């Protein structure tokens, strides 16, 4: 077992402050290297598949960088599945408003792809976590105020559990961290497949 002083370097291949905060709250101290992957250039047959393909692409780009040598690289990507469609970040305020009008009073499934690459040996594991989200029924005025805040333009599905939209989410079934951007239980399981204990990564 590793000692606290010699934890493996950990890299988060994502610009998401929410993902970084989740990892830090769990005792990890990742470096952030943004992949720059063109998300619109990738596709898959299902929303869950798309989340996974994007996560794997992000992790692979960063794992190939010289500064990632010897590190564990985590790539994640989230989409909201509604009516069999994969919804990422809305393009603009009009789209965010339409999205919320479509989601009100319904449930969607937030799918987050996770990929971990151990650059020390080239091993890679990946999986998608899914959490059902039950949307409340914000009024048109509440939706307008939320869209005007700018927040929904920066998050998959035009909502987040840890921000201004929290009062408009009636509940979830599954892992809340997954909705915020990263499932810590799934990360622990993926690290285990690479023979890494998450407790050995505590900073």
């Amino acid at each position: 077992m590793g000692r606290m002083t010699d934890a493996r370097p950990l890299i988060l291949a994502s610009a998401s402050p929410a993902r970084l905060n989740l990892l830090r709250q769990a005792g990890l101290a990742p470096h952030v290297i943004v992949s720059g992957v063109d998300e619109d250039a990738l596709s898959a047959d299902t929303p869950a598949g798309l989340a996974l393909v994007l996560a794997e692409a992000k992790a692979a780009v960063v794992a190939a960088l010289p500064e990632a040598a010897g590190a564990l690289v985590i790539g994640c990507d989230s989409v909201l599945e509604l009516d069999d469609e994969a919804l990422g970040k809305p393009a603009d305020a009009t789209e965010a408003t339409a999205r919320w009008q479509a989601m009100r009073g319904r449930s969607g499934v937030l799918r987050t792809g996770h990929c971990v690459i151990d650059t020390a040996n080239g091993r890679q594991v990946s999986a998608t976590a899914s959490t059902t989200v039950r949307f409340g029924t914000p009024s048109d005025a509440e939706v307008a105020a939320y869209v005007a805040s700018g927040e929904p333009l920066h998050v998959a599905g035009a909502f987040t559990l840890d921000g201004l939209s929290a009062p408009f989410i009636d509940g979830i079934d599954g892992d809340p961290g997954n909705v915020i951007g990263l499932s810590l239980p799934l990360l622990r399981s993926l690290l285990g497949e690479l023979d890494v204990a998450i407790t050995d990564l505590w900073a």
Side-chain angles (χ1 to χ4, degrees):
M1 299 290 281
R3 297 183 305 280
M4 298 291 271
T5 49
D6 60 1
R8 292 280 306 277
L10 195 62
I11 295 173
L12 175 62
S14 168
S16 162
R19 287 189 186 113
L20 180 59
N21 286 339
L22 282 167
L23 291 170
R24 284 179 172 162
Q25 286 163 6
L28 309 179
H31 300 284
V32 173
I33 301 179
V34 180
S35 67
V37 165
D38 178 7
E39 298 184 12
D40 297 329
L42 297 168
S43 61
D45 293 338
T46 63
L50 180 62
L52 196 61
V53 164
L54 290 167
E56 289 172 342
K58 289 179 177 182
V61 166
V62 172
L65 299 172
E67 58 265 42
L72 292 158
V73 177
I74 303 170
C76 291
D77 198 85
S78 302
V79 297
L80 176 71
E81 180 175 331
L82 191 74
D83 298 327
D84 299 323
E85 265 191 277
L87 305 175
K89 295 170 186 161
D92 53 31
T94 305
E95 188 176 319
T97 302
R99 188 85 60 86
W100 263 98
Q101 287 168 347
M103 297 188 308
R104 279 189 294 207
R106 301 180 60 203
S107 291
V109 181
L110 201 290
R111 303 205 184 266
T112 300
H114 297 63
C115 177
V116 184
I117 298 175
D118 186 343
T119 63
N121 55 27
R123 292 172 67 197
Q124 170 178 329
V125 289
S126 54
T128 300
S130 302
T131 304
T132 298
V133 181
R134 300 191 302 278
F135 296 102
T137 51
S139 67
D140 287 349
E142 286 171 325
V143 169
Y146 180 53
V147 171
S149 77
E151 181 182 89
L153 301 181
H154 304 292
V155 285
F159 77 97
T160 177
L161 274 186
D162 61 343
L164 299 175
S165 56
F168 310 140
I169 312 294
D170 281 356
I172 63 163
D173 300 305
D175 175 14
N178 190 53
V179 181
I180 295 168
L182 185 146
S183 169
L184 290 163
L186 178 56
L187 176 62
R188 173 181 167 269
S189 149
L190 291 174
L191 287 168
E193 289 181 46
L194 297 173
D195 303 315
V196 176
I198 198 165
T199 50
D200 286 345
L201 299 177
W202 284 345

